[in-house]
Amino acid sequence: MYSVKTVLTAAAAAFLALAPPATAVPTAPTAPSSASAAPRACDGAPTCYVDVTVAQVWVSPEQVRPVDAPATTNPADVRGWLAGMTLDERREVAGETQALHGIRVTVDRSEWHGGLLWDHVWVHGQPTPRDQAGRGAYPGWIPDRQLTSEHRRPPGGTHEERVARPTARGFATARAALDGPGSGQTGEYSYNTSFPVEAGPLPGVVTAHSPSGGRVFFRAGDLARVPSAPSGADVVAAARAFLGLPYLWSGTSGFGYDCSGLTSQVYSALGVTIPRDAQPQFDAGGGQVPAGSAAGVRISRTEDLRPGDIVAFRPATGTEVTHVGIYTGTRNGEPMMINSPRTGDPVREEPIGSTGRVYVGATRFLTR
């Protein structure tokens, strides 16, 4: 992830004009994460939490297009949003990043645009040099209705688990979780979404607790604890689960990743926080480590690479690192990587010399 290509269009202006008048105060719809009453919207609180399964974090409200409407609601229809875009429209997503359900955000200002209240936020857990305040957070805009100021303490006896599949369906009851899709579904949650979890009331089911206090039931195999000592082999195994997933600019969820979204989220799910973007991931191996990120070690020669290392590339005519992947080992003597290449291409495993980019080195975040 390295550039923003979208601009405000006349169509976007038309879309905003169709929204409710600026004097109307939006109410918070029923949260997909909770079987209880709808939680409070963020509405000016300095600390809030993502109240949808995945929140798209936008460059600016003005750059949201009509086709983006499903990604601005609560509940958010991420699959509908993606299905409704052409390939060209995917290339023009005005996204900064994404934030998963329950993630904490710091709000530094709010503005009305076209009848919607928007919050400028810093998404915690996504370090970037752009964050001069040292929060370990990434900036962008989220509709206020996709956030909540509620954050209830989970009941005693819970422990943290994260979604371990590309996506997992949550349900309103334990029986619905056993019965499967179409029966009391509350939402489809992304890989690496974290919940306080306890044993469910039925075998094969776990009970997860949302920040607003509601309960979500999952099949037990859909969530897992963070490993205590992850290895490079764990990184590779996790990345392989996304082979074939279409690229999404700004994506940091199991619905679609950009290149550094894939690498950062795989590491995050294994308990290691690294920078959000490609250049900072590479720089973290050379001593330039943004607040909130693990430090890495620079690996220059391909023969010294180990599985799990983050390999970095620049364009043939540039100097900035614009692409990263996860080194997986050699195949027929050729170094290989898993990467999310570009819009129109899926996550795939391929030789590191096949991308049309120039290899510049790697960062190692794990010693095993």
Side-chain angles (χ1 to χ4, degrees), residues 84-149:
M85 283 191 287
T86 65
L87 194 59
D88 285 342
E89 287 169 335
R90 274 182 174 252
R91 291 191 178 98
E92 299 299 324
V93 170
E96 291 277 19
T97 188
Q98 291 177 324
L100 305 183
H101 174 76
I103 289 292
R104 178 168 62 101
V105 302
T106 295
V107 181
D108 60 15
R109 64 187 185 275
S110 300
E111 297 179 5
W112 287 93
H113 290 280
L116 281 182
L117 182 63
W118 290 80
D119 298 321
H120 185 265
V121 304
W122 293 85
V123 180
H124 288 264
Q126 297 189 22
T128 174
R130 296 168 62 184
D131 176 19
Q132 297 298 309
R135 290 163 290 215
Y138 206 92
W141 292 87
I142 298 177
D144 186 82
R145 62 187 179 184
Q146 293 189 329
L147 301 172
T148 177
S149 59

Side-chain angles (χ1 to χ4, degrees), residues 30-287:
T30 301
S33 57
S34 175
S36 61
R40 296 187 301 270
C42 189
D43 197 21
T47 300
C48 290
Y49 301 84
V50 174
D51 190 48
V52 292
T53 55
V54 177
Q56 182 71 18
V57 183
W58 304 92
V59 174
S60 71
E62 292 90 346
Q63 293 182 358
V64 177
R65 309 159 299 175
V67 74
D68 300 321
T72 67
T73 56
N74 187 339
D77 183 9
V78 181
R79 288 214 179 273
W81 175 53
L82 296 174
M85 283 191 287
T86 65
L87 194 59
D88 285 342
E89 287 169 335
R90 274 182 174 252
R91 291 191 178 98
E92 299 299 324
V93 170
E96 291 277 19
T97 188
Q98 291 177 324
L100 305 183
H101 174 76
I103 289 292
R104 178 168 62 101
V105 302
T106 295
V107 181
D108 60 15
R109 64 187 185 275
S110 300
E111 297 179 5
W112 287 93
H113 290 280
L116 281 182
L117 182 63
W118 290 80
D119 298 321
H120 185 265
V121 304
W122 293 85
V123 180
H124 288 264
Q126 297 189 22
T128 174
R130 296 168 62 184
D131 176 19
Q132 297 298 309
R135 290 163 290 215
Y138 206 92
W141 292 87
I142 298 177
D144 186 82
R145 62 187 179 184
Q146 293 189 329
L147 301 172
T148 177
S149 59
E150 288 195 59
H151 192 262
R152 300 183 189 179
R153 180 175 297 179
T158 60
H159 62 275
E160 183 195 16
E161 292 192 10
R162 303 189 186 192
V163 174
R165 304 188 186 281
T167 65
R169 298 180 187 276
F171 297 87
T173 67
R175 173 52 58 187
L178 289 180
D179 291 343
S183 177
Q185 183 176 313
T186 64
E188 186 179 8
Y189 297 83
S190 167
Y191 174 76
N192 195 34
T193 303
S194 176
F195 290 97
V197 169
E198 60 186 339
L202 295 174
V205 175
V206 296
T207 303
H209 297 268
S210 72
S212 57
R215 296 184 301 170
V216 186
F217 297 90
F218 290 92
R219 294 188 178 190
D222 289 345
L223 278 67
R225 294 179 188 246
V226 175
S228 58
S231 67
D234 293 327
V235 173
V236 172
R240 285 201 167 117
F242 299 102
L243 293 174
L245 182 70
Y247 178 98
L248 176 64
W249 170 259
S250 74
T252 60
S253 75
F255 296 94
Y257 291 105
D258 62 24
C259 67
S260 55
L262 174 64
T263 53
S264 63
Q265 286 299 299
V266 165
Y267 269 87
S268 175
L270 295 172
V272 181
T273 301
I274 68 173
R276 164 64 180 90
D277 291 336
Q279 181 73 57
Q281 288 179 13
F282 178 67
D283 291 342

Side-chain angles (χ1 to χ4, degrees), residues 2 245-247 257-259 262 322-324 337-350 355 357:
Y2 62 94
L245 182 70
Y247 178 98
Y257 291 105
D258 62 24
C259 67
L262 174 64
T322 59
H323 188 67
V324 287
M337 70 172 176
I338 293 174
N339 72 129
S340 189
R342 59 184 60 83
T343 302
D345 290 333
V347 176
R348 61 193 182 201
E349 188 167 4
E350 61 185 343
T355 67
R357 304 173 173 104

